[in-house]
Amino acid sequence: MLVCALVLGYAFPSHPFKGWVHSVFHHAINIRQEDGALITLVTASEDDLPQGARLNGPPGLNFLETGATPGQRVVCWEWQVRWDALPLQVDLHTAKTWCCNFSYLPDTGEASIQSEALKLILNLLEEHSLREPAGLHPGMLTGVHLTTESALNHRAGEVMHDLIHATRLGRAIPEKSIQQLVGLGPGLTPSGDDFLVGFLAGLWGNSVHHPHRRDFTLQLGRVICYTAHEQTGEISYTYLFHAARGQFSRRLFELVRLLFIGAPGEQVLHAARAVLSGGHTSGRDMLIGLLAGLIPWGQAPIFPPDLLANLFIKESFHDDC
């Protein structure tokens, strides 16, 4: 079976490589290259990923039915990915490249994130948390919990406050705080990791035109990656690795873009729903992280004044940030 790739993420190799199947799911196959880095093949309906190749059909493609299994050898030569053990081939010749480019966003001094758009996202998160109580709860941000507070949310909420506080003041975030969040929660991409991906997306949106903020965001990314390398799984580490470099899925980046250009609420809500559709709780955890990442540098004017007061009282905004 020959399948053509539609889109390649910036990190999908353009040179010949060898690797082995790491894991197989309905809509995705992860391949570990010889250098240890993971790349991902996904079906046409899935998101474009920094390390991914999104394939063009056939309709109803299910990787679990292809015979692909962990450990199988995979090679890429002359822009074709081939299996030693299967008649499956992926042609990369005509694929377009996907790469996040935050430089196209307006300067935060000119950005006009609409508070109503943020409220729509927050309402969407609250509705989703009622249907699916697992994962993080938006009450972490608002202080209002619609369900019984879990140990996961209590721990993540404490670290979130530390992250927001240190970021706003331009201070180095203690590695201990990151260690409490990385790998927190169950699943291939734990809630704490998904939150950090969203948080970094918010910071990147606010820092691209500000060198001091950019340096802060890069340093935070390095601390996260150093911790994640030892503390979380390979799949989750891969997303954190690329997020630390300002590279995210197309759906998450598109939501950030719409927020910063002041797009109408319905457009923002549509993009937020697209992010929310990813994974069991991953989409919601990323959205909560994104909203948290908009707080430190003043782009989230929707949260209760007492929340901000509790975070920032007796402290002033760091001039360099």
Side-chain angles (χ1 to χ4, degrees), residues 1 49 110 134 139 267 311-312:
M1 177 172 62
L49 305 175
E110 303 171 3
Q267 287 187 33
L311 287 170
F312 310 132

Side-chain angles (χ1 to χ4, degrees), residues 291-314:
L291 293 183
L294 297 175
I295 293 175
W297 292 322
Q299 293 290 4
I302 65 170
F303 298 106
D306 56 338
L307 169 64
L308 301 182
N310 289 337
L311 287 170
F312 310 132
I313 195 168
K314 300 179 183 179

